[in-house]
């Protein structure tokens, strides 16, 4: 299935949903994880994204790519999760309880990925910088696609991207000075 085949889709069937999940599911999950820093939340958000897509496929107008549309939905749902009291409570409980359980293969993989010192620093950025940097660097979206996902002007995307790069440069420089042998 290619993204062009959905441009004229007005109804969702289980086969199409399955294809969407296979093609974009991991990217949706990864973006949700980057925004929330929590694998359980990323699981829930991913389910919610595809549930919304199934229910509201008629809202897809084909103005952006399917990937852009899905990442926009992911961002909106992630923001809703982050802003709820439930999310804050789960994070506190998850932090206290997670040490008691063994990690899943998925968690182990993500922890190894996050161990990369550059991505570790990305996680330290404020969300507004982190999301533009991830959308641009990891998902290789254009400034206009990012603006569409975040519902902000392209100039704001450029400004945030500049700010994110500047902060990343400072963080990486600081890290290299700390780790430099004396």
């Amino acid at each position: 299935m290619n993204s062009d085949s959905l441009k004229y889709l007005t109804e969702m069937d289980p086969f199409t949903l399955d294809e969407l999940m296979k093609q974009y599911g991991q990217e949706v999950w990864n973006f949700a994880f980057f925004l929330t820093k929590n694998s359980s939340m990323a699981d829930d958000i991913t389910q919610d994204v595809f549930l919304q897509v199934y229910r509201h496929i008629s809202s897809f107008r084909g103005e952006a790519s399917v990937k852009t549309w899905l990442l926009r939905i992911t961002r909106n749902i992630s923001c809703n999760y982050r802003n709820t009291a439930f999310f804050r409570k789960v994070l506190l409980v998850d932090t206290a309880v997670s040490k008691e359980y063994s990690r899943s293969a998925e968690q182990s993989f993500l922890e190894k990925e996050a161990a990369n010192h550059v991505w570790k620093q990305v996680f330290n950025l404020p969300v507004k910088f982190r999301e533009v940097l991830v959308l641009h660097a990891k998902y290789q979206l254009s400034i206009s696609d990012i603006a569409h996902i975040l519902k902000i002007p392209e100039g704001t995307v450029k400004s945030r991207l500049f700010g994110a790069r500047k902060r990343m440069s400072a963080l990486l420089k600081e890290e290299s000075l700390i780790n430099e042998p004396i």
Side-chain angles (χ1 to χ4, degrees):
M1 164 187 261
N2 63 33
S3 58
D4 291 334
S5 64
L6 288 178
K7 285 203 178 200
Y8 305 104
L9 187 64
T10 57
E11 292 183 21
M12 178 65 71
D13 60 68
F15 175 76
T16 305
L17 180 64
D18 186 54
E19 289 298 310
L20 273 177
M21 290 171 67
K22 285 178 185 171
Q23 188 170 355
Y24 299 106
Q26 190 63 51
E27 291 185 75
V28 166
W29 190 93
N30 288 344
F31 188 47
F33 181 78
F34 275 114
L35 294 173
T36 63
K37 300 182 188 180
N38 183 289
S39 61
S40 297
M41 284 293 158
D43 291 342
D44 292 344
I45 290 166
T46 301
Q47 282 184 325
D48 285 354
V49 166
F50 287 105
L51 184 60
Q52 290 296 323
V53 167
Y54 187 79
R55 289 181 178 160
H56 304 288
I57 188 62
S58 61
S59 69
F60 179 68
R61 297 183 303 265
E63 295 171 358
S65 70
V66 173
K67 181 177 178 180
T68 300
W69 182 60
L70 289 171
L71 293 176
R72 182 178 188 172
I73 294 169
T74 304
R75 181 191 183 259
N76 291 341
I77 292 174
S78 296
C79 288
N80 290 343
Y81 269 73
R82 280 197 327 260
N83 292 331
T84 64
F86 173 76
F87 175 76
R88 289 187 290 274
K89 287 178 188 173
V90 168
L91 277 183
L92 291 174
V93 171
D94 189 39
T95 302
V97 175
S98 65
K99 293 176 178 127
E100 298 174 18
Y101 299 103
S102 63
R103 295 185 325 241
S104 68
E106 186 175 58
Q107 285 173 319
S108 296
F109 172 77
L110 284 170
E111 287 172 5
K112 287 177 186 173
E113 287 292 312
N116 177 315
H117 74 283
V118 173
W119 286 113
K120 275 176 136 177
Q121 295 304 336
V122 170
F123 280 109
N124 291 328
L125 293 173
V127 172
K128 70 179 189 177
F129 291 133
R130 188 169 64 231
E131 64 189 358
V132 295
L133 193 61
V134 168
L135 288 170
H136 186 69
K138 178 156 179 43
Y139 294 99
Q140 299 179 350
L141 295 178
S142 69
I143 299 294
S144 63
D145 283 345
I146 295 169
H148 183 75
I149 289 170
L150 303 180
K151 296 181 184 176
I152 58 176
E154 288 184 23
T156 304
V157 172
K158 290 176 186 177
S159 173
R160 287 183 184 179
L161 197 53
F162 177 80
R165 288 175 176 154
K166 188 174 178 180
R167 284 193 180 197
M168 280 298 296
S169 179
L171 288 170
L172 293 172
K173 184 175 183 178
E174 179 182 309
E175 183 181 83
S176 69
L177 291 175
I178 291 171
N179 294 329
E180 196 171 275
I182 298 176

